[in-house]
Structure formats: structure tokens, C-alpha cells
Amino acid sequence: MALQDEIEKRRTFGIISHPDAGKTTLTEKLLLYGGAIQTAGAVKSNKNAKAATSDFMEIERQRGISVATSVMGFNYRNVKINLLDTPGHQDFSEDTYRTLTAVDSVIMVIDCVKGVESQTEKLLEVCRMRNTPVIVFINKLDREGRDPFDLLDEIENKLKIKVCPLSWPISMGKTFKGVYSLYEKRLLLFQAGTKQLEREIIEINDINSKLIEENIGEKFALQLLEDIEVLEGVYPTFSRQDYREGKISPVFFGSAVNNFGVRELLDCFIDIAPFPLARNTEERSIAPIENKFTGFVFKIHANIDPKHRDRIAFLRVCSGKFMRNTNYFHTRLSKNLRFSNPTAFMAQEKTIVEEAYPGDIVGLYDTGNFKIGDTLTEGESLHFKGIPSFSPEIFRSVLNADPMKSKQLAKGLEQLTDEGVAQLFTKTLTGGKILGVVGALQFEVIQYRLKGEYGASCHFENIALHKACWISCKDKKKLQAFADDKYQHMATDKEGNFVFLAESQWALQMAQEKNPDIQFHFTSEY
Ligand code: G4P
């Protein structure tokens, strides 16, 4: 098949939600439609949230599950779908942010009872940064949820996106009748308790058709007509281009656990979601159709067996064709690497892959060559953009607890932070190491893994820091002068970039006001 056909066949996306909104359930139903699993219950929930934070076995178990479900590939209607899993627990959200750099679109699940929750807001912010197209799935319509118009208002206000409903619920909870698909002009009837894949569908060519009333009764039919009139007046008509540019978000309603509205979501997703498009590197834009292979690493997963230090680097193919046993150029290390056992993730199984196309994710066994953000090419020196580190929110300094093992500690910290478990900063004044994370659970993961995989022990000491932000200035002398002036509050990241450690919001604001020539950045990419 020609490269263009392979590209157009692919949809690479992620599902995001606040824990418990129904991401795992929806994932499972999508896999059922794709024939990737045969029975419900095959996808394990990766809810770290429910684990006690000190339960290390639980952390390990979750790591095991998340390797298995990191990428789920399946075919549906002759389309190759790559679904990238995102951790549900907010302490792992940095992992989620990075996974979002490897997708072309997302489906966001919202619980109709709870509405927009904190984690959803944060994740959507990352999508907005990159104009990632978003489809919204409002879930759990079998429960007494909030008024759908209120929900849409809340989504627009809190998430700062414009919505465009493509389906509409007819009542909710005990009296939930079904949804009317504005996209397909069909009525989909709900029967509680049925979990079959196929649903009773009534084709409606005209919204005034008597068929509606015959099926849902006069009261609900009237309400539906009224609602649709309002919808048409308030929301924009759907435009594929606006959706693909991240300007509007289509909204669907359903109930994942009852398998209701999921097929409609999937069918529409196949039709409208973007296939892999051009991506930016620092040097130039790369179109997927380019003959030469390029790709970048967005996630690194350590072997769960601590005796084997090898890891899996997850590479997203951006252009050309990736082939097994072929030399590729690692641009950061300036060296060629070849991969004899690259893996693909199909139907929840890992299999050796001979070739992969733009949009595909390949797992590369790695013994320490890769860091998140690394680029592979056929020789050209390129660096993909859009894989930033985010300014961490919780900081602790690292104290060696076993002086005999300081080398192991240094190596462990280096490698775990390469994996993106946390960010490592070195204080300019003392040379002391500071770890910055997005969620506190990461400290326990690090301590546990340092011991188990590197034989090193450390203590953490709390430090009062508000933010670590990267700084830049066109005038290098001014930048150095700022660093010299603030030497007590300066550090460097692993790449040697200047990082300003602000003790409080006030200190940050003062530094910004007094130094208008210095730019303060909250992601590592600036
Ligand atoms: P998550 O991955 O986003 O964290 O959510 P998950 O799919 O695990 O769903 C969270 C809970 O919500 C689960 O119940 C699940 O069964 C339920 N759920 C998902 N979709 C629907 C829906 O459409 N309607 C209703 N009423 N519930 C739904 P649980 O009790 O936590 O787990 P389980 O014992 O049911 O598996």
C-alpha cells in the first residue's frame, strides 16, 4: 500500500478524563468493537488512585499493567486505530502530558453527574497548547445527571473551548430514553440492562417525524424538538475543519458501561478525527508523507523485573516508514542505532514488527540510549518540538543515605529522571540535587525503585519552593548577570539550562517585575 494510504488509514489518539469518569470502561468498549478483546473486563483499570500511596506492590502492579496497556492498536472499518493510554492518577499527570504530545486527537470523558473536574481542566490546558482536536463524551446518562445545557456551559467556561453537540440526550437516569444523533439524524433507543453491542436504531429523516413520538412518547418528543431548536440557535454548525484546528469540540452523550452511544462515537471519530499531520521540529516542518523515516520518543518504561535494567522506549513514527534491523540516526547522541526486536502493540499483545508508518507507536528495547524527546532519523539532524517538561510543583532535596552507594544513587537519579519520573535540578550554590515532581507519589516510587533497581538509598528533605522556571534572555550577558545576582536561587536542569527557584509567588512576581528583559518559562520548551 502506498505511504499516503497508510497515513490516511491511521488515527492515533488518547482518552483523557478525571479518575472515575469512565475512561477504562470506554476504552474497553472501543476495543470490543475493534475485535481487540472478546470479553468485557479484559482491560484492567489502571487506577493508581485507589491504591494506598505506600503500597509498593500496588505501584509495581500498576507499572506492569501500564506497560501492557500503554498502547492499544486495533482495526475498525479498515482504519488502524492506535489508542494511547494515559495514567488516571493525577500524580502521574506529567506522563499523561507527554503522551498527549504523541497523539493526533483526544476523546475527553466527562461524568454527567460531576461535570468538569480538576484533572480534566489541567489536561485540556495541555491540549489547548497544541490545538489538539478534542471530542467530548458525556458519560453515565443512565444516572440522574446535570442538565445537558448546563453541562455544555460548564465545559465551555471551565475548559475554554467551543462545543458543538452532535448527539442529544432524551432525559436521563431512570427515564433515560436514548439519544438523538444530530450527526446521523437517527434516534438511538436505550433499554436499561442491555449490554449488547448493537442497539435499536430508528432512522429519522425529518425531526418532525411521527416516529419519534411513537418511540419515546409525546412528552419527551416535544422536549427533544424544543431542545434541538435551542441547540440550532446557540451552537455553531459542525465543521470538520474547525474541529481539526481545535476551534470546536463535538459532543456526544452516552453510557459506556451500558455500551450505549459508543459505536456512534467511534463511527464519527473514524470519519472526522485527523490522520497524522505535519509536525514541527526545531529545524523545519516534517510532513508524514516524506520518504525518509523520522520519529521521537515520548515515553520510557523501565523493565518491571529489576534484574534486567533494559527499558522500552516508546517511539512515535512521524514520517516515512520505520523498518526493523535498519540503521537510524540518534540525533542527540550523533550515533546510529538499529533495532532487531522493535515491538508493535496490537490487540493488547506485543509482537515484533517489521515496519511501521506515521501515527504508529513502536516499542524499542533500550539499554540507556534514550531520553524523552529524543529524535531518530535517516541521517538528518532534527529535533522534534512539543515534548516539554512542565514546571514541577513539589520539590524535595535528595540526601544520600548510604555513602558507599553514591555512584549508584547518581546513576539511578540520572536514569529515572531520563524516564521522566521526575525532574532533576542541581543547585548552583551547593551542587545539591533537587527533585521536582508533579505529584507526591512519585517520591515514593523513586525511593522504592532506587533501592530495588540500583541498590541506592536516599532521604528526601522538604524544601519550600513555589516554582522552578526556566529563564531566557536574548542578551546572554544579562542572563548571566541575573543568574549571578540570584545565585542563591539558581539551579540548572539536566541539560545545563538555567532554572530560577522561586520561593513564593511573590518572589517570582518581584523577579519578573524587576527584570523585564528576562523571560520566565513554565515549560522547558521556549
Ligand atoms: P476511569 O477509568 O475513568 O477511572 O473510570 P472507570 O471506567 O473505571 O469507571 C469508573 C466507575 O464508573 C466504574 O464503577 C464503572 O463501572 C462506572 N461507569 C462507567 N461508565 C458508566 C456508565 O455509563 N454508567 C454508570 N452508571 N456507571 C459507569 P466502579 O463501581 O468503580 O467499578 P466496577 O466495579 O463497576 O468496575
Side-chain angles (χ1 to χ4, degrees):
M1 203 189 286
L3 182 57
Q4 185 64 30
D5 295 336
E6 293 285 1
I7 294 167
E8 288 180 14
K9 245 181 84 170
R10 277 163 174 78
R11 305 285 183 280
T12 301
F13 80 111
I15 303 182
I16 56 175
S17 76
H18 191 88
D20 268 354
K23 180 167 71 77
T24 312
T25 313
L26 180 64
T27 301
E28 182 172 283
K29 304 299 174 191
L30 294 176
L31 293 181
L32 276 170
Y33 282 114
I37 54 170
Q38 265 67 48
T39 51
V43 180
K44 297 284 174 296
S45 166
N46 63 356
K47 270 179 279 179
N48 290 294
K50 292 203 175 149
T53 50
S54 55
D55 186 347
F56 297 124
M57 283 319 290
E58 186 58 22
I59 292 173
E60 283 298 275
R61 195 181 68 80
Q62 298 293 357
R63 283 177 60 212
I65 293 170
S66 68
V67 174
T69 60
S70 281
V71 182
M72 290 160 275
F74 61 98
N75 289 306
Y76 179 76
R77 279 179 35 197
N78 203 28
V79 170
K80 163 92 189 287
I81 299 177
N82 296 310
L83 169 51
L84 274 53
D85 191 36
T86 54
H89 193 294
Q90 60 176 14
D91 282 10
F92 292 87
S93 47
E94 174 116 28
D95 215 22
T96 302
Y97 299 159
R98 277 189 303 255
T99 298
L100 292 179
T101 65
V103 302
D104 298 311
S105 68
V106 306
I107 294 181
M108 176 173 74
V109 185
I110 287 182
D111 180 332
C112 73
V113 183
K114 296 187 178 150
V116 175
E117 298 173 85
S118 56
Q119 186 68 356
T120 330
E121 282 185 60
K122 277 194 168 179
L123 293 170
L124 233 276
E125 229 174 272
V126 179
C127 294
R128 274 204 315 272
M129 273 167 59
R130 307 180 54 242
N131 297 325
T132 308
V134 178
I135 294 181
V136 181
F137 182 72
I138 300 187
N139 191 26
K140 307 198 185 180
L141 267 280
D142 57 320
R143 291 202 178 158
E144 305 294 336
R146 310 227 319 251
D147 177 74
F149 284 107
D150 285 351
L151 282 168
L152 295 187
D153 279 353
E154 187 179 72
I155 293 172
E156 292 208 321
N157 294 332
K158 283 200 177 162
L159 303 179
K160 299 177 193 75
I161 54 175
K162 286 249 151 295
V163 297
C164 170
L166 289 186
S167 82
W168 195 251
I170 303 159
S171 191
M172 274 189 196
K174 283 199 193 77
T175 55
F176 181 46
K177 295 283 168 206
V179 292
Y180 177 70
S181 163
L182 296 131
Y183 183 67
E184 293 173 306
K185 307 252 180 303
R186 295 164 143 188
L187 194 62
L188 196 64
L189 296 176
F190 178 73
Q191 290 152 305
T194 30
K195 295 195 177 173
Q196 78 268 27
L197 291 185
E198 300 309 326
R199 289 282 168 179
E200 196 179 338
I201 292 167
I202 317 253
E203 303 284 346
I204 313 273
N205 299 322
D206 174 8
I207 185 68
N208 295 308
S209 160
K210 278 273 165 247
L211 274 174
I212 298 187
E213 197 179 310
E214 279 165 24
N215 281 285
I216 61 174
E218 192 186 348
K219 181 179 144 208
F220 292 117
L222 279 174
Q223 182 68 49
L224 177 66
L225 276 179
E226 225 175 83
D227 286 354
I228 288 178
E229 213 177 292
V230 177
L231 289 176
E232 286 174 349
V234 174
Y235 296 103
T237 34
F238 174 69
S239 140
R240 186 178 300 207
Q241 188 169 346
D242 286 350
Y243 154 66
R244 287 193 177 175
E245 289 172 3
K247 290 182 186 154
I248 57 162
S249 296
V251 180
F252 288 83
F253 291 83
S255 169
V257 81
N258 288 295
N259 224 330
F260 188 79
V262 177
R263 181 187 276 283
E264 291 62 36
L265 172 74
L266 182 57
D267 282 339
C268 179
F269 170 81
I270 299 287
D271 284 350
I272 66 173
F275 48 78
L277 301 171
R279 289 192 162 242
N280 288 326
T281 65
E282 278 166 27
E283 293 77 10
R284 63 186 184 87
S285 168
I286 309 287
I289 191 71
E290 289 187 20
N291 270 336
K292 293 196 170 153
F293 156 76
T294 62
F296 68 87
V297 172
F298 64 94
K299 179 183 177 112
I300 294 177
H301 220 300
N303 197 319
I304 26 180
D305 178 354
K307 286 191 238 49
H308 299 277
R309 201 69 72 65
D310 61 338
R311 321 186 274 186
I312 301 180
F314 290 79
L315 174 112
R316 148 124 194 176
V317 180
C318 294
S319 69
K321 179 158 96 171
F322 170 91
M323 285 190 300
R324 184 181 171 202
N325 280 325
T326 307
N327 273 324
Y328 291 121
F329 184 61
H330 185 309
T331 56
R332 181 175 56 86
L333 301 180
S334 236
K335 76 174 184 188
N336 282 324
L337 297 172
R338 56 191 276 163
F339 305 94
S340 48
N341 294 310
T343 45
F345 307 86
M346 272 307 278
Q348 288 203 294
E349 282 180 10
K350 285 194 288 174
T351 44
I352 290 184
V353 65
E354 294 297 331
E355 52 190 43
Y357 294 91
D360 283 343
I361 311 298
V362 183
L364 304 174
Y365 286 96
D366 172 42
T367 47
N369 282 315
F370 287 117
K371 267 195 205 188
I372 286 173
D374 279 347
T375 301
L376 287 183
T377 71
E378 288 192 23
E380 189 175 349
S381 185
L382 295 170
H383 302 84
F384 278 97
K385 290 214 283 204
I387 314 129
S389 296
F390 291 85
S391 181
E393 284 155 25
I394 309 169
F395 303 87
R396 289 190 191 157
S397 48
V398 187
L399 303 174
N400 189 0
D402 183 352
M404 303 298 286
K405 296 280 170 64
S406 49
K407 264 194 187 158
Q408 283 85 338
L409 179 65
K411 183 166 183 192
L413 285 175
E414 191 72 22
Q415 291 202 346
L416 291 181
T417 48
D418 274 356
E419 258 179 51
V421 180
Q423 291 177 53
L424 185 64
F425 303 108
T426 307
K427 280 201 80 168
T428 310
L429 185 61
T430 59
K433 301 286 181 203
I434 295 177
L435 281 177
V437 298
V438 174
L441 186 55
Q442 301 289 24
F443 288 118
E444 297 191 39
V445 175
I446 291 167
Q447 218 164 23
Y448 175 71
R449 290 189 54 194
L450 280 172
K451 187 93 198 136
E453 293 165 39
Y454 299 89
S457 307
C458 70
H459 298 306
F460 295 119
E461 208 172 67
N462 284 333
I463 37 174
L465 262 190
H466 167 67
K467 275 250 177 251
C469 41
W470 289 267
I471 53 167
S472 69
C473 179
K474 278 199 192 97
D475 184 339
K476 294 286 163 268
K477 276 194 196 138
K478 278 193 181 157
L479 190 67
Q480 190 61 51
F482 177 87
D484 292 345
D485 182 42
K486 298 271 181 214
Y487 70 99
Q488 287 174 311
H489 305 284
M490 290 303 296
T492 45
D493 69 6
K494 286 177 80 176
E495 274 68 48
N497 300 311
F498 279 135
V499 175
F500 174 60
L501 307 172
E503 278 173 356
S504 61
Q505 171 69 33
W506 185 80
L508 176 60
Q509 213 174 320
M510 289 308 285
Q512 284 173 309
E513 278 170 19
K514 286 194 177 157
N515 299 279
D517 295 335
I518 307 283
Q519 276 87 52
F520 295 75
H521 309 274
F522 299 95
T523 73
S524 63
E525 210 165 65
Y526 46 85

